[in-house]
Amino acid sequence: GELCMHSVQCKSGCCHRVNGLSLARCASKAAEFQECSPKSIYEVYYKCPCEKGLTCDADKTIVGSITNSNFGVCKDPQDSSRR
């Protein structure tokens, strides 16, 4: 949980803040079924991107990426092909 300004500063690759006023800290990436952000234009996330191998099933509209509110849920892309 070190303080960070950019996600590249974190071993996990996710610099996370709870809201616009909070300090950003390194956080672990989102696991399956957890909320996530797709890779964003921001260096800081409100929800971390997914762990390796998972995809963030989220609203990928341009409005969502500008407002940083395009959260989704981490899913294993292999799971959907099995259903």
Side-chain angles (χ1 to χ4, degrees):
E2 314 90 71
L3 292 175
C4 53
M5 295 294 290
H6 302 284
S7 290
V8 290
Q9 293 174 293
C10 303
K11 283 189 201 90
S12 66
C14 179
C15 187
H16 170 267
R17 66 165 36 139
V18 179
N19 58 47
L21 302 173
S22 63
L23 292 169
R25 295 184 180 275
C26 291
S28 55
K29 290 207 171 169
E32 194 168 9
F33 308 119
Q34 287 187 322
E35 278 192 303
C36 55
S37 290
K39 273 256 176 263
S40 80
I41 52 175
Y42 301 100
E43 292 297 322
V44 175
Y45 295 95
Y46 289 109
K47 305 277 184 210
C48 287
C50 301
E51 291 171 348
K52 198 166 173 65
L54 299 176
T55 56
C56 190
D57 193 12
D59 169 16
K60 292 187 176 57
T61 61
I62 195 73
V63 174
S65 61
I66 291 168
T67 59
N68 208 7
S69 64
N70 53 343
F71 305 137
V73 175
C74 290
K75 294 197 168 110
D76 184 341
Q78 305 301 314
D79 276 2
S80 56
S81 61
R82 277 188 230 130
R83 279 191 202 124

